[in-house]
Amino acid sequence: IEVRGLGIAKLPAAAEGKIVLVFEMAAPEKIDRLPTPAQWEGLGIAIPAIKLDPFAASAGAKVRLAVRKASQGTIQDIIVEP
């Protein structure tokens, strides 16, 4: 995998995986502060979706948290209604 600023890195890989979450790259002004749950729909399936500013310093932390929760089937547990 290419790691920007570091070069090509050799990392372990899985033969297959499960898609549990979709990230939509978006400009900060297009992301709601308190978003309502969203889904990506295609190929006859629906997958939870989150908008993400890929250039924000917190982007990596948000991805790790969201993927961890989604893989446990609890992505909505981190989203609270205002």
Side-chain angles (χ1 to χ4, degrees):
I1 185 170
E2 180 183 351
V3 181
R4 183 175 285 256
L6 294 178
I8 305 298
K10 186 176 182 177
L11 299 171
E16 58 184 59
K18 181 179 178 184
I19 299 174
V20 296
L21 191 59
V22 171
F23 289 95
E24 177 186 343
M25 302 301 113
E29 63 272 10
K30 301 287 185 182
I31 301 172
D32 292 333
R33 182 170 166 255
L34 298 172
T36 57
Q39 292 186 331
W40 174 89
E41 297 181 19
L43 305 173
I45 59 172
I47 301 170
I50 296 174
K51 288 184 180 179
L52 178 75
D53 173 7
F55 301 108
S58 61
K62 290 176 183 178
V63 168
R64 285 189 298 277
L65 173 62
V67 169
R68 182 172 48 242
K69 295 305 249 177
S71 65
Q72 296 168 352
T74 59
I75 187 67
Q76 297 310 323
D77 290 350
I78 64 171
I79 308 295
V80 296
E81 295 296 323

